Amino acid sequence: MQELIQAYSWINLRFLLMGLWVTIEVSVISIGLSFVIGSLLGIIRYMKLGWFSKIVGFIVDVIRNLPLLLIIFFTYFGLPKIGIHMGVMMSTTVAMTIFESAMIAEIVRSGILAVPKGQLEGALSNGLTMPETLWHILLPQAYKKMIPPLVSQFVSLIKDTSLATIIMLPEVTFRAQTIYAQKPQAIIPMFIMLALLYFVLNFTVSQLGSYFDRRMEA
């Protein structure tokens, strides 16, 4: 009991919460950027703009089939070799954004393809341009279908921030490791606390996704 009290002391909890804030910060920035970039890439792939769409499709497929850890290594250790220097926080955010943009691009492309083809043909036959059809007809319907896979991808992104411990990003997992490295008896309490924090964070995101899903269906 004494060990449990020591593990969950205010100093340790405050230390963990500071790491949780880093996790949230990286996640929010990466989710926002990857959603915008991934949507653009998915639209480009859908529109089949000749060689441009093929190049984008090839890049997306390559990134989707690489481990995220490898991309994190590349942004932190590889880019400085060609003169691009970034801190731990920026490297993690860039790596997460690159990887998640590729994943979201495929979700967006599949979502648009799931809209009945008659919607596209009807809009074009009524004089709408392709960009107008995408913005007013296809995307609103596609995003309704995309909410569940997008939420799942965002939850995966939040959990994957823990991979950045390898480059010593001071997020919540790294800080938990720091605590139990100094006090080995705290390892189980730290695992329990990590599970609780990740659950609360990801459950909140899932509930927000369900809320928006219900609102769009109403």
Side-chain angles (χ1 to χ4, degrees), residues 161-175 177:
T161 56
S162 61
L163 293 174
T165 55
I166 200 72
I167 58 172
M168 293 185 291
L169 177 72
E171 46 77 60
V172 66
T173 301
F174 178 82
R175 288 175 182 259
Q177 290 176 343

Side-chain angles (χ1 to χ4, degrees), residues 24-42 86 89-105 108 143 150 154 157:
I24 293 172
E25 191 174 358
V26 170
S27 298
V28 169
I29 295 172
S30 300
I31 286 172
L33 291 175
S34 61
F35 179 74
V36 174
I37 296 171
S39 293
L40 290 174
L41 295 176
M86 294 182 289
M89 183 94 167
M90 181 64 73
S91 295
T92 303
T93 303
V94 169
M96 301 289 289
T97 299
I98 290 172
F99 183 77
E100 294 302 322
S101 293
M103 304 300 288
I104 290 172
V108 170
Y143 278 121
L150 282 175
F154 294 154
L157 183 152

Side-chain angles (χ1 to χ4, degrees), residues 110-122:
S110 300
I112 298 174
L113 288 172
V115 177
K117 195 174 181 180
Q119 299 283 334
L120 171 64
E121 295 171 347

